[in-house]
Amino acid sequence: MATNRTPELINAALRGLELIYRDGYEYKKAGLIMQGLCPENQMQGNVFLQTYEPSKHQRLMETIDRLNGRFGKNTVFWAVGGVNRSWNTKRDNVSARYTTCWDELPIVKASF
């Protein structure tokens, strides 16, 4: 069933991890690409699943976004991601963002 609710996405990821996890192996953090996204009001229903009240979940997500916007990124976050975030994303091969970030525009100086 399609969802945009972070707690449900986290639970699905944890269930998947439980299926593949093997003790003694090293793991790396991975990302995902979401395709085929559609507006919430065009979501396909399912007669076998219980309907939910989206307003409660919507208010929660909007509150988290508002707090993070006001007080800074990751002021409020999901604890399953860890409280002590000692790891960082590897950014060795990141492209320059000349077209989207003013601070990364190259500076050209001309001398006459």
Side-chain angles (χ1 to χ4, degrees):
M1 183 70 171
T3 185
N4 63 357
R5 294 189 299 276
T6 303
E8 286 187 26
L9 295 170
I10 290 171
N11 285 335
L14 290 174
R15 284 192 311 269
L17 181 61
E18 288 172 359
L19 290 172
I20 67 167
Y21 179 79
R22 300 286 184 266
D23 195 27
Y25 287 84
E26 290 187 20
Y27 291 86
K28 289 192 176 237
K29 182 179 156 190
L32 60 106
I33 297 172
M34 296 186 180
Q35 296 178 321
L37 301 176
C38 63
E40 186 176 12
N41 62 357
Q42 294 179 9
M43 188 171 72
Q44 175 69 41
N46 186 327
V47 296
F48 301 108
L49 294 177
Q50 185 178 10
T51 59
Y52 68 94
E53 178 56 45
S55 63
K56 177 181 174 185
H57 300 285
Q58 184 69 24
R59 283 194 319 266
L60 171 64
M61 298 308 298
E62 287 172 356
T63 301
I64 291 171
D65 289 343
R66 199 169 36 254
L67 288 168
N68 286 333
R70 181 174 178 185
F71 297 108
K73 185 178 178 182
N74 292 325
T75 298
V76 177
F77 57 89
W78 302 97
V80 72
V83 177
N84 179 14
R85 297 176 180 205
S86 57
W87 53 267
N88 287 316
T89 303
K90 289 185 179 179
R91 304 183 64 84
D92 298 337
N93 300 312
V94 175
S95 301
R97 301 177 299 168
Y98 303 131
T99 59
T100 59
C101 184
W102 287 101
D103 295 336
E104 293 184 17
L105 278 173
I107 298 172
V108 178
K109 296 184 180 183
S111 59
F112 294 95

